[in-house]
Amino acid sequence: MTAAAPEYNGRLMSPHTLVDRSKLAELTTGELERFAAGHRGSRKLFESSRESLLGGVPMSWMAKWAGGHPIFFESARGARLTDVDGNEYVDLCLGDTGAMAGHGPPATAQAVQRRFEAGATTMLPSEDAPAVGRQLAGRFGLPLWQLTVSATDANRFAIRMARQVTGRPRILVFSYCYHGTVDESFITLGEDGPRSRAGNVGPPVDPTETTRVVEFNDPDALEQALREGDVACVLAEPAMTNIGIVPPEPGFHDEMRRLTRETGTVLIIDETHTLSCGPGGYTAAHGLEPDMLTVGKAIGGGVPSGAFGLSAELAERVGSNFDADYTDTGGVGGTLAGNALTAAAIRATLEQVLTADAFAQMIGLADRFTQGVRAALDSDDVPWHVVQLGARAEYAFSPEVPRNGGEAARSGDPELEGYLHLYALNRGVLITPFHNMALMCPDTTGADVDRHSEVFASAVGELF
Ligand SMILES: Cc1ncc(COP(=O)(O)O)c(C=O)c1O
């Protein structure tokens, strides 16, 4: 058990984990040896990649996997993935939500192939685009949409529009949020106030100048920050998902909506991960009424995609500002944003893959996952919790579900996470290397979930 709460990679080590650290180290060594023996092909590819790729990976966060290097995959289909050493995995990571529709869903694959052969990117809309707009409007309740290359872009553009219509300089986020690589959002609330998040790489401007930050589920702090009158928008996930899962407390969303309306602040809800709650994400499932909504990752079935929606009232305000350049170099756009390939991929994925029936099945499997983890924890009297958000579930190392990002960060334990992730990987189950997130896709089966439950119970059993 750790006495204090030292910081590691921007996260605080848990005082709650109650783990014998020498036993953990010994077990981890065993798992590392097993990993090395079973992943020689991946190791070789990683070594050669280092000659031409910074850190041996095409994007730096892919180095995050426990084991010292990522596995290199050969193929992925549905909820299964095979690596270059011939190991097969149940994939509960699903590209950190990018593959929540499953790997290579046939409807998306066919639409993308057809579209690619008939022109992928032309600076012109195709007939898929309005169909996508209708899908998004029907699901999330906002009438007007734009398509982007990623959720990060959707957030950046939504923030720009909010600043433009309000004429205010700052944004507000919740401590330990993640909304993609959005400069203003890398801020946390320390004991001595707001500070740039640990590890923030070359911030263009200190985020304490651009951003107000408060803890999630703290309406009083939110009110105080919004009453300053300089906040253009609140950017929030409806439940936090990037520091473990932090659900909103009853009434918090009502308060946030009331306060943003009273202070003329644009409310942007980011559904990129919480889309797991159903076809219209948390927003539709809980009747939220945001001014703008951003989403990305899964909606394109694996093709880079994002989108943001606006209320009719906000769209009118955006359109009535003739100084803002939305058609050329005004700072909202991207050459490949909203191209025909993206539109075809989103249309097929939403119309045919991430359907209401698929969500019902995925959510049932996440129930089963949650029960499996809970049973393992109960059987060894382990004081951790597991929390579910539709088709997503996550365990974490504190007895209670955290109330906010700060609390969640304090219960993080990277060493313990590394052991549990590697133990599962070595036995054919992938979960997201960022905290302990597992996600179901339309192809996930009960047997896949039970395999995780079995492996998790045995990993925990060896530790306690
Ligand atoms: C809630 C949320 N919003 C936005 C993003 C950014 O997505 P992308 O990296 O695909 O742009 C993420 C990424 O993890 C996210 O979790």
Side-chain angles (χ1 to χ4, degrees), residues 321-333:
N321 187 332
F322 299 108
D323 291 339
D325 176 2
Y326 279 104
T327 52
D328 199 350
T329 49
V332 172

Side-chain angles (χ1 to χ4, degrees), residues 202-437:
V205 179
D206 184 336
T208 58
E209 286 179 30
T210 58
T211 311
R212 294 194 182 280
V213 60
V214 298
E215 288 288 10
F216 198 61
N217 283 323
D218 187 346
D220 294 341
L222 180 63
E223 173 156 22
Q224 209 181 331
L226 295 185
R227 296 272 178 229
E228 298 286 331
D230 59 357
V231 175
C233 60
V234 170
L235 173 61
E237 283 192 281
M240 297 184 81
T241 67
N242 282 296
I243 188 75
I245 292 175
V246 181
E249 290 182 340
F252 181 63
H253 274 290
D254 291 341
E255 275 299 276
M256 182 153 72
R257 186 60 280 196
R258 182 182 69 78
L259 291 168
T260 45
R261 281 206 175 109
E262 273 180 24
T263 56
T265 311
V266 175
L267 177 59
I268 307 171
I269 291 290
D270 180 347
E271 287 278 6
T272 304
H273 277 181
T274 46
L275 177 61
S276 64
C277 292
Y282 192 100
T283 291
H286 296 268
L288 305 190
E289 295 176 357
D291 301 304
M292 300 184 87
L293 185 144
T294 58
V295 65
K297 296 201 184 186
I299 59 169
V303 172
S305 314
F308 62 95
L310 298 80
S311 69
E313 194 249 318
L314 197 79
E316 204 177 302
R317 289 170 73 193
V318 168
S320 64
N321 187 332
F322 299 108
D323 291 339
D325 176 2
Y326 279 104
T327 52
D328 199 350
T329 49
V332 172
T335 310
L336 276 78
N339 75 8
L341 193 70
T342 299
I346 301 179
R347 180 180 187 178
T349 306
L350 295 186
E351 286 184 354
Q352 298 178 63
V353 188
L354 288 177
T355 59
D357 286 349
F359 272 106
Q361 185 185 317
M362 288 150 65
I363 291 170
L365 287 167
D367 285 343
R368 184 166 171 156
F369 177 97
T370 305
Q371 284 161 21
V373 169
R374 196 166 285 138
L377 296 177
D378 287 350
S379 100
D380 284 316
D381 270 338
V382 181
W384 305 343
H385 71 270
V386 55
V387 55
Q388 185 184 346
L389 200 56
R392 176 188 305 280
E394 173 137 10
Y395 56 86
F397 310 127
S398 60
E400 309 293 339
V401 177
R403 280 196 67 222
N404 57 48
E407 250 181 64
R410 281 189 287 280
S411 71
D413 188 331
E415 285 168 14
L416 184 55
E417 271 180 22
Y419 160 70
L420 292 167
H421 296 181
L422 196 56
Y423 192 100
L425 185 151
N426 280 337
R427 290 157 187 80
V429 180
L430 297 182
I431 67 166
T432 313
F434 304 111
H435 35 101
N436 307 304
M437 196 273 291

